[in-house]
């Protein structure tokens, strides 16, 4: 057995036993291999000291609740996310946790997805950049990450059986791209395979994904861990590339592994590989533990959580410069969420926060001497509440104040891990309240809290100012106050399009599927790729977010090299307040030979905080790998040559400067076979030369093409070579052609 020192002394039973957990959160200590403790993740440490579960039910020890991924992604800031990862690592270490189960990097395919709050974006590049930063930060503290849920786990409906039926191009270009980037650049210690099936094959038994792609192509050198309860057939899973089944404790699947080896249906080498990978994980953990430094981080991390949360707030709209709030103006704060904030999602990621900022208190703390009244306005989970009376009280308060600040959103009961939403609507009583408040107090600011996208048309139609926090974690209350009063100038950007209506969304007709199959019929056209390619109206586009200042883009230069395209662009603060700008770079290849979205995000940079009038030159590399598409005819990535259009701007619909740059393409030679068409053969120089002979016979049987008055070549280009014999071509000449041009 080729194993780590010490592992060779283990019996086959012991090696098999290493491949399943000891209990809910830990692995077994066997021989030289120490036990590893894991826990959720990702936006806080859910360390359970008593009862254990994976649904967020039993208590956990207090830990800082940072903004969940839905909020964090709105920062678009890798450095900020790296700092969050490092802070999580310090807390995990202090709580005795070796592997934190995150980040969740599945693509938000449909806004109804129940776990969208745990995922970053509808875009794979942004997801990959942020996920890699999180893993790098976490692992810098000696705590391992678990990149999840691998793969194509984009809905909660029937989540333990459903097959995500997805074509190769979207699988590679949309659903795996972020995972690939994170594995390659941040090297997570573990990857967690998902519950679902992919094109019919359970993730845990998917050799193509767990072995060929993850290890073979991406060079993953860690342990593949199952999602909790994802393994139905452990011997098949071990063969496919699974190393560790979680949770564990029963010993049932260890016995199955032994039986399968005895029966000759499971190769002992695969069991050894799994044992080795678990041993490697334990060795990494041991080195990480040696770096433990237990200091009380509660205050520091709460401060960090506030700083981060403020950077995640998106200013969707700000008519008449209503925000930031002018000192001295009286405020009517309205809405249950102002006193009982909605700040994280439900399920396995649910954290017990060390403290919790109450937005109303934080607003009062910054309002100085201005009067701040409060009304509940509506009730979320109280069926006995009289919403009419609550509304009337709130309207009266708004009428008596200079500005109304209205907290709206989704209650915890309306969205969670474990189920998908059926619609995107805010509760009707909240929208009624908004209408009534704006009628008496036009200066109304809406503050939104929600894990999944909500339909904002009704809000945008009446509220002159809208702040969208998504979910902001335990310090969201303070962060929102900072943004409302201009202590922080908002720089958050939407990581997900807000559509006009559910019926416009790309997967509308293919979600959540039926009979345990969901067809990814929209293909590559996920999120803004769909809306922008179809030139559809959206409520707020991908990447949108305003600032209290303004920015100008100038002097775009594009330089192609072997590494990709270097983009340089000047960004100037043209307004009157300090602020930072998130610069987004999109590309397209006009006239591409393959189907492509109208534009795709290929680069992101955040400026420093710029003083009014200050300019920063941003320089970023659009990596050549990121320009590639997945060529299904040769099963590999190809950069198509040509003049790429490159835009820099402030959203996918707010493109400020653009240019063209020539990029040299990869060589792509499609093998010429009997099934190749005449057109394909003519496009291949070697085959085209050999075709001259073949054409002689064919033109006789086809008669005079010009007499048809059409481009004869276009008509016949689609004829496969092996059908040409029916048109008088000599089969022997055809065979000769194939022999001469085949690979
Ligand atoms: C979730 C994972 C989580 C695990 C452990 C599963 O139900 O899908 O995200 O890490 O439980 O709690």
């Amino acid at each position: 057995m080729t194993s780590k020192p010490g592992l060779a002394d283990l019996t086959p039973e012991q090696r098999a036993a290493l491949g399943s957990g000891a209990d809910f959160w830990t692995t077994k200590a066997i021989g030289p291999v120490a036990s590893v403790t894991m826990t959720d993740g990702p936006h806080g440490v859910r360390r359970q000291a008593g009862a254990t579960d994976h649904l967020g039910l039993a208590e956990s020890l207090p830990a800082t609740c940072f903004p969940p991924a839905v909020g964090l992604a709105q920062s678009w800031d890798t450095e900020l996310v790296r700092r969050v990862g490092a802070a999580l690592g310090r807390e995990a270490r202090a709580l005795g946790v070796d592997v934190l189960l995150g980040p969740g990097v599945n693509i938000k395919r449909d806004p109804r997805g129940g776990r969208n709050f745990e995922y970053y974006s509808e875009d794979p590049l942004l997801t990959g950049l942020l996920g890699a930063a999180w893993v790098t930060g976490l692992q810098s503290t000696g705590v391992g990450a678990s990149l999840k849920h691998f793969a194509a786990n984009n809905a909660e409906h029937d989540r333990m059986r459903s097959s995500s039926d997805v074509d190769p191009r979207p699988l590679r270009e949309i659903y795996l791209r972020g995972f690939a980037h994170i594995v390659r650049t941040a090297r997570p210690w573990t990857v967690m395979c998902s519950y679902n099936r992919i094109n019919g094959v359970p993730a845990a038994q998917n050799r193509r994904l767990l072995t060929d792609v993850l290890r073979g192509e991406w060079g993953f050198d860690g342990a593949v861990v199952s999602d909790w309860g994802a393994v139905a057939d452990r011997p098949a899973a071990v063969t496919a590339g699974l190393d560790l089944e979680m949770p564990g404790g029963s010993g049932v699947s260890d016995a199955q592994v032994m039986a399968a080896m005895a029966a000759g249906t499971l190769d002992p080498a695969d069991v050894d590989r799994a044992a080795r990978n678990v041993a490697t994980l334990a060795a990494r953990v041991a080195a990480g533990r040696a770096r433990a430094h237990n200091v009380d981080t509660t205050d520091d991390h709460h401060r960090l959580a506030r700083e981060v949360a403020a950077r995640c707030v998106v200013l969707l709209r700000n008519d008449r410069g209503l925000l930031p709030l002018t000192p001295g103006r009286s405020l009517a704060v309205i809405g249950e969420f102002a006193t009982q904030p909605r700040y994280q999602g439900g399920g396995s990621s649910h954290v017990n926060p060390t403290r919790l900022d109450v937005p109303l208190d934080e607003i009062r703390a910054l309002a100085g001497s201005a009067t701040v009244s409060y009304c509940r306005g509506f009730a979320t989970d109280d069926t006995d509440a009289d919403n009419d009376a609550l509304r009337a009280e709130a309207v009266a308060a708004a009428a008596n104040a200079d500005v109304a600040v209205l907290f709206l959103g989704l209650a915890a009961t309306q969205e969670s891990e474990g189920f998908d939403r059926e619609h995107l609507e805010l509760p009707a009583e909240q929208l009624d309240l908004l209408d009534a408040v704006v009628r008496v107090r036009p200066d109304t600011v809406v503050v939104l809290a929600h894990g999944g996208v909500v339909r904002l048309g009704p809000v945008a139609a009446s509220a002159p100012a809208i702040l969208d926090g998504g979910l902001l974690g335990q310090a969201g209350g303070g962060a929102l106050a900072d943004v409302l009063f201009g202590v922080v100038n908002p720089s958050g950007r939407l990581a997900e399009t807000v559509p006009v209506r559910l019926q416009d969304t790309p997967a509308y007709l293919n979600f959540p599927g039926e009979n345990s199959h969901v067809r990814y019929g929209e293909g590559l056209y996920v999120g803004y790729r769909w809306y922008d390619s179809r030139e559809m109206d959206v409520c707020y586009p991908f990447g949108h977010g305003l600032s209290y200042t303004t920015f100008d883009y100038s002097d775009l230069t594009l330089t192609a090299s072997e590494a990709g395209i270097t983009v340089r662009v000047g960004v100037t603060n043209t307004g009157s307040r300090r602020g930072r700008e998130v610069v987004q770079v999109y590309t397209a290849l006009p006239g591409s030979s393959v189907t492509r979205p109208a534009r795709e995000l290929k680069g992101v940079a955040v400026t420093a905080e710029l003083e009014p009038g200050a300019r920063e030159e941003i320089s970023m590399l659009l990596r050549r790998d990121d320009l590639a598409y997945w060529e299904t005819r040769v099963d590999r990535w190809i950069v198509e040559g040509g003049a790429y259009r490159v835009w820099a701007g402030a959203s996918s619909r707010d493109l400020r400067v653009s240019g063209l740059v020539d990029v040299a393409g990869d060589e792509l030679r499609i093998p010429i076979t009997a099934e190749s068409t005449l057109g394909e053969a003519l496009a291949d120089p070697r085959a085209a030369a050999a075709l001259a002979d073949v054409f002689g016979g064919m033109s006789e049987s086809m008669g005079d093409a010009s007499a048809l008055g059409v481009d004869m070549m276009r008509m016949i280009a689609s004829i496969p070579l092996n059908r040409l014999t029916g048109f008088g071509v000599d089969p022997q000449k055809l065979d000769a052609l194939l022999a001469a041009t085949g690979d």
Side-chain angles (χ1 to χ4, degrees), residues 413-433:
T413 48
Q414 286 160 333
E415 51 181 358
S416 166
E417 175 180 345
F419 62 90
D420 299 313
R421 285 183 301 158
E422 281 165 15
H423 60 74
L424 308 182
E425 302 301 316
L426 280 166
E429 61 276 9
Q430 294 189 27
L431 296 177
D432 291 347
L433 173 69

Side-chain angles (χ1 to χ4, degrees), residues 461-541:
S462 55
I466 308 171
L467 284 180
D468 191 352
L471 299 175
L472 290 173
Q474 69 179 45
L480 285 167
D482 287 341
V483 173
L484 284 167
F485 288 99
V487 178
V488 172
N489 186 354
S491 56
R493 298 288 187 270
L494 292 176
E496 199 180 352
T497 308
V498 182
V500 172
R501 45 179 212 150
L502 176 61
Q503 292 88 330
D504 292 349
T505 58
Y508 180 64
L509 298 176
N510 283 305
F511 189 95
E514 61 186 0
N515 302 334
S516 299
H517 279 271
V518 51
R519 179 165 158 57
Y520 285 36
E522 69 287 352
L524 298 170
Y525 296 89
V526 176
Y528 68 91
R529 286 169 166 78
W530 167 264
Y531 304 108
D532 289 357
S533 300
R534 302 195 64 201
E535 298 181 5
M536 295 167 75
D537 283 340
V538 296
C539 190
Y540 290 108

Side-chain angles (χ1 to χ4, degrees), residues 25 40 54 115 148-149 159 192 195 227-228 348 417:
W25 296 123
D40 292 302
H54 63 302
R115 289 186 94 168
K148 67 187 188 183
H149 307 88
R159 68 171 172 165
M192 185 191 292
Y195 285 133
D227 198 345
W228 268 232
S348 61
E417 175 180 345

